Each structure stands twice: as structure tokens, then as C-alpha cells.
Amino acid sequence: MNQINHLVQADMEWDGAHRRFWMDTCAGRDQVAMTMLQSGWAAYEPPLPALVAQWCHALRPVFVDVGANTGFYSLLALAAGARHAHAFEPVAEIAAVAHSNALMSEATDRLSLYEVALGANDGEATLYFPLAHHGLVETSASLNPQFRPQHAEQRKVQVAKIEMRRRLTLIGAMLLHKGAVDGMICGT
């Protein structure tokens, strides 16, 4: 992404310290950033943002974000106290927005962004994109062809074996994982 449109600042207070991160609204097309702008950082997919922030503040984990999209949960985790975030986003143009958001938030030293999907095996797979008549940044693509009844696009993406999570566990004693699994958000 070459052009910065409108930036949204997320402010947090922890133990008397002020922390923040930034996101680009992508000219009003990023629904996460727009929700932050209109209602604050905790308003997108509640109560998950508040839980992630509280866990990261209390545990100071290594945060793993599967289906990172434009980087909201990774940046939130880092602002709240995660030691490092590993973000997995296979769609190049969405990963580029996440990278720009990390740059604006001065978080690139603690955020590792991988342009891969996670799956059962290393290799290549087809990513299915739903119909995009809404005009928003598309953040609900899936490796599952039955995820939506119709697809606007199919694209080959690199896949890393999900076992990578086990390798990341060795990096830190505490690991917090947020993953998007075919429309559901899960954590471990």
C-alpha cells in the first residue's frame, strides 16, 4: 500500500503508562480501523480485544496471530505488553497494510509478519475469497472451499505447516495464540 489515507490512533493506559498503536482506515475500507475510529479499540469483536489486552498485559506472552489481516490483534497485543508478535497473513495486499500499520506504530522490531497461511502441510494451497460487493478490505478468505457458497476469486498461496506454532513456543515461556479458523476466532 503506497498511500496513507486516514490514521486511527488506539490509546491504552496500563499501570499509569500510556501506550498506543495506529491503523490506516484504507479510505474507510478497513472495517476494523473504522470501528476503532467510531467506537474505540475494544469495540471490534467484543469481548476479544479486551481479553487479548488483559492477557498480554498480565502474561507478557509471545503472541501468535493466525489470519492477522491488517494487524489489529498483533498491534493490540504489543501495545498491551506482549514481548513479540508473530503474524500470519497469506494475502499480499492485506499483509502490506499490516506492515504499514506496524511501521506507523513503531512495532516492526517486535512484530514478525509471515506472508503464509498455516495448514496441515507445507506447500501451496488455494485461498478462496468471498464475493466482495461490500467494497471493504477483504479479510475473510479461507483455505476451505465450502467457507462461502460463492467465490469472487481463488488464489494460490504458500502454506506453512501449523506445527510452526510448536517451534514458536520455544521462543518464549508463555504463548498466546489467536487464530481465525473458517470464520471463527479461537485462542489457546
Side-chain angles (χ1 to χ4, degrees):
M1 183 157 167
N2 297 328
Q3 179 182 353
I4 294 176
N5 297 291
H6 183 267
L7 300 181
V8 177
Q9 177 178 317
D11 292 294
M12 314 171 96
E13 292 287 333
W14 292 105
D15 299 330
H18 182 79
R19 299 179 186 185
R20 70 174 55 128
F21 64 94
W22 300 83
M23 292 190 66
D24 186 340
T25 65
C26 299
R29 294 180 43 241
D30 184 340
Q31 63 181 345
V32 180
M34 292 306 295
T35 299
M36 280 177 41
L37 177 65
Q38 295 162 358
S39 305
W41 63 265
Y44 182 74
E45 298 180 332
L48 192 57
L51 291 172
V52 167
Q54 290 170 4
W55 288 335
C56 289
H57 178 70
L59 303 174
R60 307 274 191 245
V62 172
F63 186 76
V64 179
D65 191 354
V66 180
N69 300 316
T70 57
F72 171 71
Y73 283 108
S74 292
L75 294 171
L76 173 67
L78 291 171
R83 288 178 287 162
H84 195 88
H86 294 276
F88 296 86
E89 177 51 56
V91 181
E93 57 268 30
I94 297 172
V97 175
H99 179 72
S100 293
N101 287 339
L103 282 171
M104 289 181 289
S105 299
E106 298 178 344
T108 56
D109 60 329
R110 296 183 303 132
L111 176 66
S112 299
L113 180 60
Y114 307 91
E115 285 189 36
V116 298
L118 292 183
N121 298 301
D122 289 327
E124 190 176 78
T126 302
L127 191 65
Y128 298 89
F129 292 79
L131 298 177
H133 58 278
H134 48 66
L136 299 172
V137 172
E138 185 51 66
T139 60
S140 64
S142 175
L143 295 174
N144 178 353
Q146 278 83 44
F147 178 61
R148 297 275 196 247
Q150 295 181 308
H151 306 114
E153 178 186 353
Q154 298 177 22
R155 191 183 304 176
K156 294 290 186 187
V157 296
Q158 292 300 306
V159 178
K161 192 171 184 177
I162 199 132
E163 195 172 82
M164 180 177 246
R165 178 175 172 244
R166 213 174 291 147
R167 286 182 239 145
L168 293 174
T169 305
L170 301 175
I171 295 170
M174 193 70 66
L175 182 74
L176 180 60
H177 164 250
K178 185 281 304 175
V181 180
D182 295 327
M184 298 176 64
I185 304 295
C186 59
T188 58

